[in-house]
Every structure is written in C-alpha cells, then in structure tokens.
Amino acid sequence: MEFILIASAHFLALLSPGPDFFLIMQTALRMPMRYALSVCAGIAAANGLYLTIAVLGLEAVRNMHLLMTVLKYLGSGYLIYIGYLLLRAPKRPLTQNEKQGFLRQQSFIRQFSLGFASACLNPKNAIFYLSLFTVMVSAETPLAIRTLYGLWMAGIVFTWDMGVAMLIGNRRSKNYLEKWIFGLEKISGLMLSLFGILLCLD
C-alpha cells in the first residue's frame, strides 16, 4: 500500500508540465533523438540525486535555508537564460542542421548537463522528494525497500521523459508540427522564463 501511494503521488506530479517538459520538447524538435534522450538522462540523474538524499533520510537538507536560497536563484537565472535564448532565436526550418549555440551543441555531455542543471537547480524537486518520503514512507520501512522506491521513481522519470521526447521528436510529429515550430519555440521560451520568474518570487 505504501508503494502504491508514493508511486501514484509521484506519477501525478509527472503529469504536470514543468521546465523539464519544455526543455525536452525544444530539444526533441530541433535535434536528433539521441540528444533529447541525453537531456532525459540528465533530468533523471538529477532526480536520482534528490531521491538519494530522500532515501537516506536527510530531511535536514530541506532546512538548509542558505542552500535552498542559492539553488532557487541559480535555478531562476538558468531558466530565464534558457527562455531568453529561445525567445530571441530566429525563425528557421526544422531541416536546418544546427550544431552550434548553447542549446544546440551536438554533444551528449552538453545535453546531459542541460537536463541535469534544469532538474538539479529546481529546489522544488528536493522539497517534493523529501516531503514525499517524510509524509508517505514509514520510518520503519527498511533502507533496502526505500532504495527500491527511489530506483523506481528515477526509472519512471527517465521512461516518462523519454516517451515524451519520442512522441514529439519522431518524424511524423515533426512533419506535423513544422509549421508551428516557431510559435512552439516562443511558447517554450516564454514558459521557461515564467517558471524562472515564479521560482525567484516564490
């Protein structure tokens, strides 16, 4: 029953589009699928980091106000910067082969880092996982079981994000969305900037 409760709460949180969704969308539309999957792996790794902290019962991290404040402002600046890059990007066809620029560099490490930073610099991820394990996981639950919970959730994050990337980034979807790509890019930039501003004001 405990597993069903935390798995359900976690999945419901995944259904709500956040900064990671818009980062995955623009990568899947503009770059080969392997780089979108690198972004997904980076996001899952950052979630795994916070899950490790939660699994080990390090609730004290949530009370480190200086750390949370630094994360908040770094994350806010990062999201606003990514949003700014998308907002100022010129109109160009999907067939244009882009290999340069902060967002478009065809490097597994770069794209992994973009995804990792997006999820890691969002203090709400840390708060969510710490709250989830504090409220829904019994103190009597063995470490091995809590570890399995964490592995499950990190795996679900990667699987879900990978599914989103494959749905958006396949050739049929790209052909369908091509005439709206400029608008979608601007919406992504606007949403990422908005997330950054709201994070800063929170």
Side-chain angles (χ1 to χ4, degrees):
M1 179 60 73
E2 183 178 78
F3 172 74
I4 294 173
L5 286 174
I6 65 169
S8 299
H10 181 239
F11 186 70
L12 288 174
L14 280 178
L15 292 177
S16 176
D20 297 343
F21 170 82
F22 291 98
L23 181 61
I24 292 167
M25 182 175 75
Q26 67 87 23
T27 307
L29 284 171
R30 284 289 181 188
M31 300 185 71
M33 182 56 62
R34 59 187 180 275
Y35 297 110
L37 298 185
S38 283
V39 170
C40 296
I43 291 168
N47 278 263
L49 174 64
Y50 285 131
L51 278 163
T52 299
I53 293 170
V55 164
L56 294 176
L58 303 179
E59 291 89 354
V61 171
R62 185 171 46 185
N63 297 319
M64 294 180 182
H65 299 300
L66 178 60
L67 175 61
M68 288 295 146
T69 300
V70 169
L71 275 179
K72 180 172 80 170
Y73 288 115
L74 284 176
S76 174
Y78 178 77
L79 291 176
I80 291 171
Y81 177 63
I82 297 294
Y84 166 75
L85 291 179
L86 289 171
L87 286 170
R88 69 185 292 268
K91 189 171 185 178
R92 58 220 187 276
L94 278 177
T95 52
Q96 184 173 327
N97 189 19
E98 298 175 89
K99 297 185 179 180
Q100 301 302 320
F102 184 77
L103 295 177
R104 307 286 180 238
Q105 186 174 343
Q106 294 195 6
S107 160
F108 290 110
I109 294 175
R110 167 59 65 85
Q111 297 305 321
F112 179 92
S113 300
L114 285 171
F116 185 87
S118 174
C120 191
L121 292 176
N122 187 351
K124 291 185 177 181
N125 284 337
I127 293 168
F128 172 75
Y129 286 121
L130 289 167
S131 299
L132 194 67
F133 274 77
T134 301
V135 174
M136 293 190 172
V137 179
S138 168
E140 306 301 318
T141 302
L143 177 61
I145 300 300
R146 282 185 277 138
T147 300
L148 288 175
Y149 291 169
L151 290 171
W152 168 267
M153 284 188 275
I156 288 297
V157 167
F158 180 65
T159 303
W160 176 264
D161 289 347
M162 190 171 60
V164 169
M166 294 177 72
L167 180 65
I168 295 172
N170 68 71
R171 178 46 54 192
R172 180 177 294 180
S173 295
K174 285 185 176 183
N175 289 340
Y176 180 74
L177 294 171
E178 184 162 16
K179 59 184 174 182
W180 292 306
I181 183 62
F182 183 69
L184 288 172
E185 211 162 54
K186 300 312 165 192
I187 290 170
S188 294
L190 184 63
M191 293 303 298
L192 286 168
S193 298
L194 182 60
F195 280 126
I197 292 168
L198 291 175
L199 181 58
C200 183
L201 296 177
D202 191 7

